[in-house]
Amino acid sequence: MSYDNNNIFAKILRGEIPCKKIYEDEFVLSFHDINPQKKIHALVIPKGKYIDLDDFSSNASSEEIVGMLKGINIVAKKLGISIDTGKGYRALANIGGDGGQEVPHLHFHLFGGEKIGRMVQ
Ligand code: AMP
């Protein structure tokens, strides 16, 4: 499967569709999920064209991988849910069909602001 340049997050990265931006740097863009499942529901996506976490782990540069992980931490801090606040959150990536992935551009969901509950339903 090749990367679909017309997926919704590719359009957001190109500025063709608006988003409620939380954070942006060289490696990542973060914005609020359009259909939040918890009080805080943010998405963190790499700027590079990666379909999912497997694609990213196989093909991204070390700098991009570090940038992604650091981006999650920066966003959690900006949202006031990082572990140093005493709160915490859940980071989750759906991968492929069985994983329930709908948008074919890697994204981490960050859920927080309340107890997140069961890991899998
Ligand atoms: P997934 O099922 O892991 O692929 O999650 C895709 C997520 O993208 C869902 O939580 C959607 O609510 C979210 N989403 C879809 N379109 C947008 C959009 N335009 N802006 C923000 N979030 C979106």
Side-chain angles (χ1 to χ4, degrees):
M1 187 174 140
S2 58
Y3 182 84
D4 171 13
N5 278 307
N6 285 321
N7 78 74
I8 196 113
F9 294 167
K11 290 180 180 176
I12 287 175
L13 280 168
R14 290 195 297 266
E16 294 167 11
I17 289 179
C19 69
K20 285 173 66 184
K21 191 192 291 187
I22 299 166
Y23 176 72
E24 181 172 15
D25 65 21
E26 184 185 349
F27 297 108
V28 301
L29 175 67
S30 175
F31 48 92
H32 292 282
D33 196 289
I34 204 165
N35 182 23
Q37 303 298 308
K38 293 290 172 187
K39 273 190 190 161
I40 294 175
H41 184 174
L43 299 171
V44 186
I45 72 174
K47 290 215 163 154
K49 297 178 177 182
Y50 299 104
I51 299 168
D52 54 35
L53 188 58
D54 284 350
D55 182 22
F56 188 68
S57 303
S58 298
N59 299 312
S61 68
S62 301
E63 288 78 11
E64 288 175 303
I65 292 171
V66 170
M68 182 83 222
L69 290 176
K70 285 192 176 292
I72 290 172
N73 177 247
I74 292 166
V75 170
K77 285 189 165 145
K78 275 185 94 74
L79 293 171
I81 56 176
S82 61
I83 203 67
D84 50 301
T85 65
K87 293 185 179 166
Y89 61 101
R90 182 168 299 160
L92 179 152
N94 295 319
I95 301 159
D98 279 4
Q101 182 176 2
E102 289 173 3
V103 179
H105 181 112
L106 171 62
H107 48 284
F108 280 89
H109 298 257
L110 304 192
F111 300 104
E114 60 183 316
K115 293 280 185 205
I116 303 309
R118 286 185 57 183
M119 191 163 73
V120 179
Q121 290 172 3

